[in-house]
Amino acid sequence: MISSAVTISLVPEARGGPFVFWDDLPAACRKAGALGYDAVEIFPPGPEAIDVPALRDLLDANHLKVAAFGTGAGWVKHKLHLVLPDASQREKAREFIRSIIDLAGPFQAPAIIGSMQGRWGDLPRNDAMGYFADALNDLGEHAKQYGVPLIYEPLNRYETNMANTVEAGIALLDTLSTKNVTLLADLFHMNIEEADIAAALKAGGKHIGHVHFVDSNRRPAGCGHLNFIPIAAALQEIGYKGYASAEAFPYPDSDQAAKSTIEAYRKYFGQAV
Ligand code: LER
Ligand code: MN
């Protein structure tokens, strides 16, 4: 069965970004729990921002899990990514991601590499791809001790030139020595880059480890022009059992975005209320 999740950003520098809830972790968890979400996906400024025992209590009280932790604050706050020309900056980016993996692991949650993949250009493509593959191998193996994968998210062409499609993501995974990296299928990015979203999900098969459940315009599912019927059928066909996580703009506001997404989730993924 596919589980539901909703995003919470705790990063002021990400304001304007595609996160449903903002700033107030306890209030967001209460709202997610009340709506019947299975989990929250947290975008923290860094590991020190999360009070681990307090988060555990919050999750228990609201019958929630953590679907994943994002690592993008390493980019939006610290301007770090994994293919910067300077080796010490690349290492800092890796350390930041490692610290999020160590935060996430005890929650049995994976970390996501999205914007931290950076883009090549300051470095030749081959060098950048080599550094990136090294980092994925290292960090993927690091995540193994927690029994979780590392999740890599292909992004659309306006955000990265590393890998924009599921096919390019799989080609990259094929070069890795680690088997512990899976792909994130973000339906917003896929709507820009894929010729056929459902076909791409089917081709992704066992490599699809997480889904950002969102519409064409990055509004909540149901507020754009995506046809979720073939998307849901494709996920079912590949036996996907991860999260459909609402990474969407808080449109028209956070509460309504969370409500309309859980309704869409129930409609398309058949969750009993
Ligand atoms: C960025 O566009 C995105 O989709 C996030 O999940 C990655 O930081
Ligand atoms: Mn995403």
Side-chain angles (χ1 to χ4, degrees):
M1 204 180 74
I2 296 175
S3 302
S4 58
V6 61
T7 49
I8 306 170
S9 172
L10 306 175
V11 180
E13 292 86 347
R15 201 161 299 286
F19 301 99
V20 172
F21 288 118
W22 288 84
D23 307 327
D24 187 338
L25 187 58
C29 287
R30 279 194 297 275
K31 288 176 178 183
L35 285 167
Y37 276 96
D38 297 308
V40 289
E41 181 175 321
I42 302 173
F43 193 71
E48 68 293 333
I50 301 294
D51 177 335
V52 169
L55 176 56
R56 271 195 203 293
D57 289 347
L58 212 45
L59 296 170
D60 288 349
N62 295 289
H63 310 289
L64 293 166
K65 295 186 167 127
V66 183
F69 282 91
T71 64
W75 167 243
V76 297
K77 270 186 93 71
H78 305 295
K79 297 297 165 216
L80 294 170
H81 66 68
L82 291 168
V83 299
L84 288 167
D86 184 295
S88 68
Q89 294 294 99
R90 291 197 300 275
E91 183 48 37
K92 278 190 187 154
R94 223 188 261 206
E95 274 166 23
F96 185 86
I97 295 166
R98 204 178 284 120
S99 75
I100 300 289
I101 293 171
D102 291 334
L103 167 70
F107 290 97
Q108 291 298 291
I112 296 170
I113 294 185
S115 49
M116 287 297 275
Q117 71 197 273
R119 54 176 70 227
W120 60 267
D122 294 334
L123 283 173
R125 181 176 188 280
N126 280 353
D127 292 358
M129 295 311 277
Y131 291 137
F132 189 45
D134 275 356
L136 290 177
N137 279 325
D138 174 22
L139 297 167
E141 287 300 295
H142 187 73
K144 232 183 194 171
Q145 65 188 295
Y146 302 109
V148 295
L150 174 68
I151 297 177
Y152 166 56
E153 180 173 20
L155 303 175
N156 76 69
R157 68 191 67 186
Y158 307 107
E159 295 186 36
T160 190
N161 52 13
M162 301 296 284
N164 301 126
T165 59
V166 168
E167 188 181 16
I170 292 174
L172 177 60
L173 298 195
D174 282 345
T175 69
L176 302 181
S177 54
T178 183
K179 295 282 164 265
N180 201 38
V181 181
T182 64
L183 294 181
L184 197 168
D186 181 320
L187 302 177
F188 164 75
H189 297 299
M190 293 179 79
N191 179 58
I192 297 170
E193 297 294 346
E194 304 288 356
D196 179 332
I197 296 176
L201 290 169
K202 286 184 207 170
K206 66 178 182 354
H207 293 295
I208 306 292
H210 198 74
V211 171
H212 279 158
F213 181 45
V214 57
D215 221 313
S216 52
N217 47 9
R218 229 170 195 183
R219 288 179 180 177
C223 301
H225 61 66
L226 282 188
N227 179 2
F228 289 97
I229 292 171
I231 291 171
L235 290 170
Q236 188 171 16
E237 190 177 315
I238 63 172
Y240 177 70
K241 290 189 174 52
Y243 287 98
S245 185
E247 188 189 67
F249 293 131
Y251 173 86
D253 58 40
S254 296
D255 291 356
Q256 291 188 63
K259 188 165 182 294
S260 57
T261 297
I262 196 81
E263 285 168 0
Y265 164 79
R266 287 180 179 137
K267 179 173 173 187
Y268 295 110
F269 301 115
Q271 167 86 324
V273 182

